[in-house]
Short mmCIF file of all heavy atoms in Angstrom, two decimals:
data_model
loop_
_atom_site.label_atom_id
_atom_site.label_comp_id
_atom_site.label_asym_id
_atom_site.label_seq_id
_atom_site.Cartn_x
_atom_site.Cartn_y
_atom_site.Cartn_z
N ARG E 61 -104.07 20.46 -131.90
CA ARG E 61 -104.65 20.62 -130.58
C ARG E 61 -103.58 21.01 -129.63
O ARG E 61 -103.76 21.92 -128.90
CB ARG E 61 -105.23 19.25 -130.17
CG ARG E 61 -106.08 19.42 -128.89
CD ARG E 61 -107.06 18.32 -128.83
NE ARG E 61 -107.69 18.35 -127.41
CZ ARG E 61 -109.01 18.61 -127.18
NH1 ARG E 61 -109.65 19.05 -128.22
NH2 ARG E 61 -109.41 18.52 -125.99
N ILE E 62 -102.41 20.36 -129.69
CA ILE E 62 -101.32 20.75 -128.79
C ILE E 62 -100.91 22.15 -129.11
O ILE E 62 -100.62 22.97 -128.20
CB ILE E 62 -100.18 19.70 -128.83
CG1 ILE E 62 -100.65 18.33 -128.30
CG2 ILE E 62 -98.97 20.21 -128.18
CD1 ILE E 62 -99.74 17.26 -128.48
N ALA E 63 -100.74 22.55 -130.40
CA ALA E 63 -100.36 23.95 -130.75
C ALA E 63 -101.32 24.89 -130.06
O ALA E 63 -100.92 26.00 -129.67
CB ALA E 63 -100.34 24.02 -132.21
N ALA E 64 -102.66 24.64 -130.23
CA ALA E 64 -103.57 25.55 -129.72
C ALA E 64 -103.55 25.68 -128.20
O ALA E 64 -103.60 26.71 -127.60
CB ALA E 64 -104.97 25.13 -130.12
N GLN E 65 -103.30 24.51 -127.48
CA GLN E 65 -103.27 24.42 -126.09
C GLN E 65 -102.00 25.22 -125.53
O GLN E 65 -102.11 25.85 -124.55
CB GLN E 65 -103.24 23.00 -125.60
CG GLN E 65 -104.50 22.26 -125.53
CD GLN E 65 -104.41 20.81 -125.15
OE1 GLN E 65 -103.18 20.34 -125.20
NE2 GLN E 65 -105.42 20.08 -125.12
N LYS E 66 -100.85 25.02 -126.19
CA LYS E 66 -99.64 25.59 -125.69
C LYS E 66 -99.33 26.79 -126.42
O LYS E 66 -98.11 27.33 -126.11
CB LYS E 66 -98.57 24.51 -125.92
CG LYS E 66 -98.89 23.29 -125.23
CD LYS E 66 -97.71 22.46 -124.71
CE LYS E 66 -98.04 21.23 -123.84
NZ LYS E 66 -98.13 21.52 -122.33
N ASN E 67 -100.10 27.30 -127.24
CA ASN E 67 -99.78 28.54 -128.00
C ASN E 67 -98.42 28.40 -128.67
O ASN E 67 -97.65 29.35 -128.66
CB ASN E 67 -99.81 29.87 -127.04
CG ASN E 67 -99.79 31.04 -127.74
OD1 ASN E 67 -100.15 31.10 -128.99
ND2 ASN E 67 -99.33 32.15 -127.12
N ALA E 68 -98.24 27.33 -129.32
CA ALA E 68 -96.94 27.08 -129.95
C ALA E 68 -97.04 27.61 -131.46
O ALA E 68 -98.02 27.84 -131.97
CB ALA E 68 -96.73 25.55 -130.05
N ILE E 69 -95.78 27.76 -132.02
CA ILE E 69 -95.70 28.13 -133.45
C ILE E 69 -95.60 26.79 -134.12
O ILE E 69 -94.65 26.16 -133.91
CB ILE E 69 -94.46 28.99 -133.59
CG1 ILE E 69 -94.47 30.32 -132.81
CG2 ILE E 69 -94.12 29.27 -135.11
CD1 ILE E 69 -93.21 31.13 -132.79
N LEU E 70 -96.62 26.61 -135.01
CA LEU E 70 -96.59 25.32 -135.71
C LEU E 70 -96.32 25.64 -137.11
O LEU E 70 -97.15 26.38 -137.79
CB LEU E 70 -98.02 24.56 -135.51
CG LEU E 70 -98.24 23.43 -136.40
CD1 LEU E 70 -97.26 22.37 -136.33
CD2 LEU E 70 -99.65 22.85 -136.03
N LEU E 71 -95.18 25.15 -137.71
CA LEU E 71 -94.88 25.30 -139.07
C LEU E 71 -94.91 24.06 -139.84
O LEU E 71 -94.51 23.00 -139.26
CB LEU E 71 -93.39 26.01 -139.24
CG LEU E 71 -93.22 27.20 -138.39
CD1 LEU E 71 -91.64 27.58 -138.48
CD2 LEU E 71 -94.04 28.42 -138.96
N ARG E 72 -95.22 24.03 -141.08
CA ARG E 72 -95.28 22.77 -141.88
C ARG E 72 -94.09 23.00 -142.90
O ARG E 72 -94.16 23.78 -143.84
CB ARG E 72 -96.55 22.57 -142.56
CG ARG E 72 -97.71 22.29 -141.65
CD ARG E 72 -98.71 21.30 -142.06
NE ARG E 72 -99.52 20.97 -140.99
CZ ARG E 72 -100.55 21.61 -140.44
NH1 ARG E 72 -100.93 22.70 -140.97
NH2 ARG E 72 -101.07 21.15 -139.26
N ALA E 73 -93.11 22.23 -142.75
CA ALA E 73 -91.96 22.36 -143.61
C ALA E 73 -92.34 22.00 -145.02
O ALA E 73 -93.22 21.18 -145.28
CB ALA E 73 -90.85 21.45 -143.15
#
Side-chain angles (χ1 to χ4, degrees):
Chain E
R61 188 159 169 110
I62 290 171
Q65 280 173 354
K66 301 211 173 268
N67 191 23
I69 297 170
L70 170 54
L71 305 172
R72 294 215 165 84

